Amino acid sequence: MDARASLRASANCSPLPITSSVRRKPSQALIFSISPWIARCASRSSRCSVSLRRDVTTPLVERRSYADEFVNMELPSVMALSPLDGRYVQKVKELRPFFSEYGLIHFRILVEVKWLLKLSEIPEITEVPNFSENARTFLESIILDFNFNDALEVKKIEKVTNHDVKAVEYFLKQKCKSCPEIAEVLEFFHFACTSEDINNLAHALSLKEAMNTVIFPTMIELCDAICKMAKENAHIPMLSRTHGQPASPTTLGKEMANFAVRLSDQGKKFSQINILGKFAGAVGNYNAHKVAYPTVDWPSIAADFVRSLGVEFNPYVTQIEPHDYIAELFNRVVQVNNILLDFDRDIWSYISLGYFKQITKAGEIGSSTMPHKVNPIDFENSEGNFCLANAVLSALSMKLPISRMQRDLTDSTVLRNLGVGLGYSLLAYKSTLQGIKKLQVNESRLSEDLENTWEVLAEPIQTVMRRYAVPEPYEKLKELTRGKAVTMDSIKQFIEGLDLPEKAKSELLKLTPHSYIGEGERLAKAVDDAVDLKNGFKLL
């Protein structure tokens, strides 16, 4: 007997089987796409479970894991409207358990079941007595065993109700009729709830878990990869370019360190964002709750319930949680994306300058017509997908906090796109990571550029001249360098003719574009001191 069969046997209750008509028509279930625009049909009706460990005292975020069979389920891709569910599905499939229709239904079921369990613990609600261990195990098994066929059944019910949350309620009532103890209290499913009580928590849980288990680990991997680039190339001098023109040299590693530190700084700020939930009824006042059970402290009950799911409680709401936290979260993701978009463009430019070569892979085509080319396609792909990600995330962050009076339904359809912006972000992160793995530093090209730009030493020379009060140092260097070819010999000749102390003159004569890197190498080597990948990139 397997674990799930054992659970049901101990509960002396058997969930009602899914009707054969649904099993025969899995193509009716359009439930696995990340994008809500795509009517994607499942290719088979095989069981795809989302597992929960049975330790119900463990916080939800820590005990939810996803079966590989679900994540890897093959679905038709060539007819997909969105590339997230078509061309790029293998790169973003980890988000399916959170943002597909399947994922939303599962999170709704989780909230509904947990609310019934909570009601059974409230002494004043005598109509729902404390459940036996068998009954609690049975209810937990509905979450534990939720599968593809369950999702199909909910969608079948929704065709009749034309209401997605009500379909979940009816599904649970049908599922629990076989357990006598729960069958006595079926009408307490969805008790005093408005649909948004269920939806807002389902969306909060999907966001929190997707960020913590998929998005943040990929951000961390990317930041770590850039840190390694910084340390490995800390000593390699590189010509800077400000306004596209040759400028004071830096090191390749130091320029990579800049991006790693920027990403780390943003990562630290995610933990300051509270994922919020409401559970206060139709307009946020516990109106129905108070009429049914006047003596119950409903605000405290709601706060305890929401926090038990790993979500912070918002006591002041209308029918909806106002979504300000989603706007804050997505704006932070947009800023991370902007930093990486900046990185993509810089790496693209360095590749075009020849500072990086790209490691080729046997069989790959760089250009359909020019055999010699190896295009920086990964960074270009990443840049394009960051643009799409930020467009969607910004649109959601601007729209979601706005709702007419106590609510309108515009947020309902918009919230179904939470996975779209994050999907394009994940796709971009993976493209950048793939591009980084192909990079090979071309030190000879970096050295060549420095050797051809001795004019960059005009800055340190005129600065030393200022120290020793040589008249018009800037103007003298301007006359020497602007619009003229500057060579090692012309620079040395200029220095030798200066009225400077011999020690200062000697130091200047030792200087080359390759050695004029200031603290660049030290800063690059110390990047780990400035980057924190343990305490950032998490939602608490």
PDB file of all heavy atoms in Angstrom, residues 91-107:
ATOM      1  N   LYS A  91      12.679  26.381 -20.714  1.00  0.00           N
ATOM      2  CA  LYS A  91      13.475  27.279 -19.883  1.00  0.00           C
ATOM      3  C   LYS A  91      12.672  27.922 -18.754  1.00  0.00           C
ATOM      4  O   LYS A  91      13.267  28.481 -17.819  1.00  0.00           O
ATOM      5  CB  LYS A  91      14.115  28.374 -20.747  1.00  0.00           C
ATOM      6  CG  LYS A  91      15.141  27.830 -21.730  1.00  0.00           C
ATOM      7  CD  LYS A  91      15.835  28.949 -22.486  1.00  0.00           C
ATOM      8  CE  LYS A  91      16.913  28.391 -23.427  1.00  0.00           C
ATOM      9  NZ  LYS A  91      17.634  29.456 -24.149  1.00  0.00           N
ATOM     10  N   VAL A  92      11.363  27.865 -18.830  1.00  0.00           N
ATOM     11  CA  VAL A  92      10.536  28.513 -17.805  1.00  0.00           C
ATOM     12  C   VAL A  92       9.545  27.550 -17.164  1.00  0.00           C
ATOM     13  O   VAL A  92       8.671  27.961 -16.406  1.00  0.00           O
ATOM     14  CB  VAL A  92       9.781  29.733 -18.382  1.00  0.00           C
ATOM     15  CG1 VAL A  92      10.746  30.784 -18.884  1.00  0.00           C
ATOM     16  CG2 VAL A  92       8.823  29.316 -19.495  1.00  0.00           C
ATOM     17  N   LYS A  93       9.688  26.264 -17.430  1.00  0.00           N
ATOM     18  CA  LYS A  93       8.694  25.290 -16.965  1.00  0.00           C
ATOM     19  C   LYS A  93       8.610  25.224 -15.440  1.00  0.00           C
ATOM     20  O   LYS A  93       7.585  24.801 -14.891  1.00  0.00           O
ATOM     21  CB  LYS A  93       9.015  23.915 -17.533  1.00  0.00           C
ATOM     22  CG  LYS A  93      10.371  23.372 -17.122  1.00  0.00           C
ATOM     23  CD  LYS A  93      10.708  22.102 -17.884  1.00  0.00           C
ATOM     24  CE  LYS A  93      12.096  21.585 -17.504  1.00  0.00           C
ATOM     25  NZ  LYS A  93      12.454  20.402 -18.301  1.00  0.00           N
ATOM     26  N   GLU A  94       9.660  25.651 -14.741  1.00  0.00           N
ATOM     27  CA  GLU A  94       9.615  25.625 -13.278  1.00  0.00           C
ATOM     28  C   GLU A  94       8.521  26.516 -12.705  1.00  0.00           C
ATOM     29  O   GLU A  94       8.120  26.353 -11.546  1.00  0.00           O
ATOM     30  CB  GLU A  94      10.959  26.066 -12.681  1.00  0.00           C
ATOM     31  CG  GLU A  94      12.146  25.233 -13.116  1.00  0.00           C
ATOM     32  CD  GLU A  94      12.932  25.923 -14.210  1.00  0.00           C
ATOM     33  OE1 GLU A  94      12.322  26.377 -15.193  1.00  0.00           O
ATOM     34  OE2 GLU A  94      14.169  26.005 -14.073  1.00  0.00           O
ATOM     35  N   LEU A  95       8.056  27.464 -13.499  1.00  0.00           N
ATOM     36  CA  LEU A  95       7.018  28.381 -13.011  1.00  0.00           C
ATOM     37  C   LEU A  95       5.611  27.821 -13.192  1.00  0.00           C
ATOM     38  O   LEU A  95       4.656  28.392 -12.665  1.00  0.00           O
ATOM     39  CB  LEU A  95       7.132  29.727 -13.737  1.00  0.00           C
ATOM     40  CG  LEU A  95       8.386  30.545 -13.426  1.00  0.00           C
ATOM     41  CD1 LEU A  95       8.421  31.804 -14.281  1.00  0.00           C
ATOM     42  CD2 LEU A  95       8.453  30.911 -11.941  1.00  0.00           C
ATOM     43  N   ARG A  96       5.466  26.733 -13.913  1.00  0.00           N
ATOM     44  CA  ARG A  96       4.138  26.174 -14.162  1.00  0.00           C
ATOM     45  C   ARG A  96       3.360  25.847 -12.883  1.00  0.00           C
ATOM     46  O   ARG A  96       2.172  26.158 -12.790  1.00  0.00           O
ATOM     47  CB  ARG A  96       4.254  24.907 -15.008  1.00  0.00           C
ATOM     48  CG  ARG A  96       4.457  25.147 -16.485  1.00  0.00           C
ATOM     49  CD  ARG A  96       4.605  23.802 -17.171  1.00  0.00           C
ATOM     50  NE  ARG A  96       4.604  23.940 -18.627  1.00  0.00           N
ATOM     51  CZ  ARG A  96       4.814  22.919 -19.442  1.00  0.00           C
ATOM     52  NH1 ARG A  96       5.033  21.716 -18.950  1.00  0.00           N
ATOM     53  NH2 ARG A  96       4.798  23.088 -20.737  1.00  0.00           N
ATOM     54  N   PRO A  97       3.987  25.216 -11.877  1.00  0.00           N
ATOM     55  CA  PRO A  97       3.209  24.868 -10.685  1.00  0.00           C
ATOM     56  C   PRO A  97       2.668  26.068  -9.931  1.00  0.00           C
ATOM     57  O   PRO A  97       1.774  25.921  -9.107  1.00  0.00           O
ATOM     58  CB  PRO A  97       4.222  24.104  -9.816  1.00  0.00           C
ATOM     59  CG  PRO A  97       5.267  23.633 -10.762  1.00  0.00           C
ATOM     60  CD  PRO A  97       5.360  24.700 -11.811  1.00  0.00           C
ATOM     61  N   PHE A  98       3.192  27.255 -10.221  1.00  0.00           N
ATOM     62  CA  PHE A  98       2.781  28.449  -9.494  1.00  0.00           C
ATOM     63  C   PHE A  98       1.779  29.299 -10.272  1.00  0.00           C
ATOM     64  O   PHE A  98       0.839  29.840  -9.700  1.00  0.00           O
ATOM     65  CB  PHE A  98       4.011  29.299  -9.165  1.00  0.00           C
ATOM     66  CG  PHE A  98       5.085  28.544  -8.446  1.00  0.00           C
ATOM     67  CD1 PHE A  98       6.196  28.076  -9.118  1.00  0.00           C
ATOM     68  CD2 PHE A  98       4.980  28.282  -7.093  1.00  0.00           C
ATOM     69  CE1 PHE A  98       7.189  27.370  -8.469  1.00  0.00           C
ATOM     70  CE2 PHE A  98       5.968  27.570  -6.421  1.00  0.00           C
ATOM     71  CZ  PHE A  98       7.075  27.109  -7.116  1.00  0.00           C
ATOM     72  N   PHE A  99       1.988  29.448 -11.569  1.00  0.00           N
ATOM     73  CA  PHE A  99       1.230  30.453 -12.312  1.00  0.00           C
ATOM     74  C   PHE A  99       0.342  29.889 -13.416  1.00  0.00           C
ATOM     75  O   PHE A  99      -0.313  30.656 -14.118  1.00  0.00           O
ATOM     76  CB  PHE A  99       2.199  31.484 -12.902  1.00  0.00           C
ATOM     77  CG  PHE A  99       2.976  32.222 -11.854  1.00  0.00           C
ATOM     78  CD1 PHE A  99       4.362  32.150 -11.822  1.00  0.00           C
ATOM     79  CD2 PHE A  99       2.335  32.962 -10.884  1.00  0.00           C
ATOM     80  CE1 PHE A  99       5.091  32.816 -10.852  1.00  0.00           C
ATOM     81  CE2 PHE A  99       3.058  33.637  -9.902  1.00  0.00           C
ATOM     82  CZ  PHE A  99       4.435  33.564  -9.884  1.00  0.00           C
ATOM     83  N   SER A 100       0.303  28.608 -13.579  1.00  0.00           N
ATOM     84  CA  SER A 100      -0.655  28.029 -14.516  1.00  0.00           C
ATOM     85  C   SER A 100      -2.032  27.992 -13.875  1.00  0.00           C
ATOM     86  O   SER A 100      -2.196  28.228 -12.671  1.00  0.00           O
ATOM     87  CB  SER A 100      -0.222  26.613 -14.891  1.00  0.00           C
ATOM     88  OG  SER A 100      -0.284  25.769 -13.746  1.00  0.00           O
ATOM     89  N   GLU A 101      -3.039  27.666 -14.682  1.00  0.00           N
ATOM     90  CA  GLU A 101      -4.384  27.476 -14.141  1.00  0.00           C
ATOM     91  C   GLU A 101      -4.375  26.348 -13.112  1.00  0.00           C
ATOM     92  O   GLU A 101      -5.036  26.427 -12.079  1.00  0.00           O
ATOM     93  CB  GLU A 101      -5.364  27.158 -15.280  1.00  0.00           C
ATOM     94  CG  GLU A 101      -6.814  27.114 -14.869  1.00  0.00           C
ATOM     95  CD  GLU A 101      -7.449  28.486 -14.723  1.00  0.00           C
ATOM     96  OE1 GLU A 101      -6.731  29.494 -14.873  1.00  0.00           O
ATOM     97  OE2 GLU A 101      -8.657  28.546 -14.461  1.00  0.00           O
ATOM     98  N   TYR A 102      -3.623  25.315 -13.392  1.00  0.00           N
ATOM     99  CA  TYR A 102      -3.459  24.212 -12.445  1.00  0.00           C
ATOM    100  C   TYR A 102      -2.960  24.737 -11.096  1.00  0.00           C
ATOM    101  O   TYR A 102      -3.494  24.392 -10.032  1.00  0.00           O
ATOM    102  CB  TYR A 102      -2.469  23.210 -13.032  1.00  0.00           C
ATOM    103  CG  TYR A 102      -2.139  22.023 -12.153  1.00  0.00           C
ATOM    104  CD1 TYR A 102      -2.694  20.778 -12.404  1.00  0.00           C
ATOM    105  CD2 TYR A 102      -1.242  22.146 -11.098  1.00  0.00           C
ATOM    106  CE1 TYR A 102      -2.376  19.682 -11.609  1.00  0.00           C
ATOM    107  CE2 TYR A 102      -0.925  21.062 -10.298  1.00  0.00           C
ATOM    108  CZ  TYR A 102      -1.490  19.831 -10.550  1.00  0.00           C
ATOM    109  OH  TYR A 102      -1.168  18.763  -9.757  1.00  0.00           O
ATOM    110  N   GLY A 103      -1.912  25.549 -11.133  1.00  0.00           N
ATOM    111  CA  GLY A 103      -1.341  26.073  -9.899  1.00  0.00           C
ATOM    112  C   GLY A 103      -2.322  26.932  -9.130  1.00  0.00           C
ATOM    113  O   GLY A 103      -2.442  26.833  -7.902  1.00  0.00           O
ATOM    114  N   LEU A 104      -3.056  27.795  -9.837  1.00  0.00           N
ATOM    115  CA  LEU A 104      -4.024  28.667  -9.175  1.00  0.00           C
ATOM    116  C   LEU A 104      -5.122  27.848  -8.500  1.00  0.00           C
ATOM    117  O   LEU A 104      -5.510  28.121  -7.355  1.00  0.00           O
ATOM    118  CB  LEU A 104      -4.615  29.643 -10.189  1.00  0.00           C
ATOM    119  CG  LEU A 104      -5.662  30.634  -9.657  1.00  0.00           C
ATOM    120  CD1 LEU A 104      -5.100  31.463  -8.505  1.00  0.00           C
ATOM    121  CD2 LEU A 104      -6.144  31.547 -10.779  1.00  0.00           C
ATOM    122  N   ILE A 105      -5.628  26.844  -9.189  1.00  0.00           N
ATOM    123  CA  ILE A 105      -6.663  25.982  -8.602  1.00  0.00           C
ATOM    124  C   ILE A 105      -6.126  25.288  -7.351  1.00  0.00           C
ATOM    125  O   ILE A 105      -6.796  25.221  -6.315  1.00  0.00           O
ATOM    126  CB  ILE A 105      -7.137  24.935  -9.635  1.00  0.00           C
ATOM    127  CG1 ILE A 105      -7.886  25.608 -10.779  1.00  0.00           C
ATOM    128  CG2 ILE A 105      -8.050  23.898  -8.963  1.00  0.00           C
ATOM    129  CD1 ILE A 105      -8.175  24.683 -11.954  1.00  0.00           C
ATOM    130  N   HIS A 106      -4.907  24.798  -7.438  1.00  0.00           N
ATOM    131  CA  HIS A 106      -4.338  24.090  -6.293  1.00  0.00           C
ATOM    132  C   HIS A 106      -4.177  25.006  -5.089  1.00  0.00           C
ATOM    133  O   HIS A 106      -4.506  24.621  -3.948  1.00  0.00           O
ATOM    134  CB  HIS A 106      -2.995  23.487  -6.681  1.00  0.00           C
ATOM    135  CG  HIS A 106      -2.455  22.556  -5.637  1.00  0.00           C
ATOM    136  ND1 HIS A 106      -1.140  22.201  -5.589  1.00  0.00           N
ATOM    137  CD2 HIS A 106      -3.051  21.904  -4.604  1.00  0.00           C
ATOM    138  CE1 HIS A 106      -0.935  21.374  -4.570  1.00  0.00           C
ATOM    139  NE2 HIS A 106      -2.078  21.177  -3.959  1.00  0.00           N
ATOM    140  N   PHE A 107      -3.684  26.205  -5.294  1.00  0.00           N
ATOM    141  CA  PHE A 107      -3.546  27.137  -4.179  1.00  0.00           C
ATOM    142  C   PHE A 107      -4.909  27.521  -3.611  1.00  0.00           C
ATOM    143  O   PHE A 107      -5.060  27.703  -2.394  1.00  0.00           O
ATOM    144  CB  PHE A 107      -2.776  28.382  -4.626  1.00  0.00           C
ATOM    145  CG  PHE A 107      -1.283  28.187  -4.658  1.00  0.00           C
ATOM    146  CD1 PHE A 107      -0.592  28.194  -5.857  1.00  0.00           C
ATOM    147  CD2 PHE A 107      -0.559  27.996  -3.498  1.00  0.00           C
ATOM    148  CE1 PHE A 107       0.781  28.014  -5.898  1.00  0.00           C
ATOM    149  CE2 PHE A 107       0.815  27.810  -3.515  1.00  0.00           C
ATOM    150  CZ  PHE A 107       1.488  27.817  -4.723  1.00  0.00           C
TER     151      PHE A 107
END
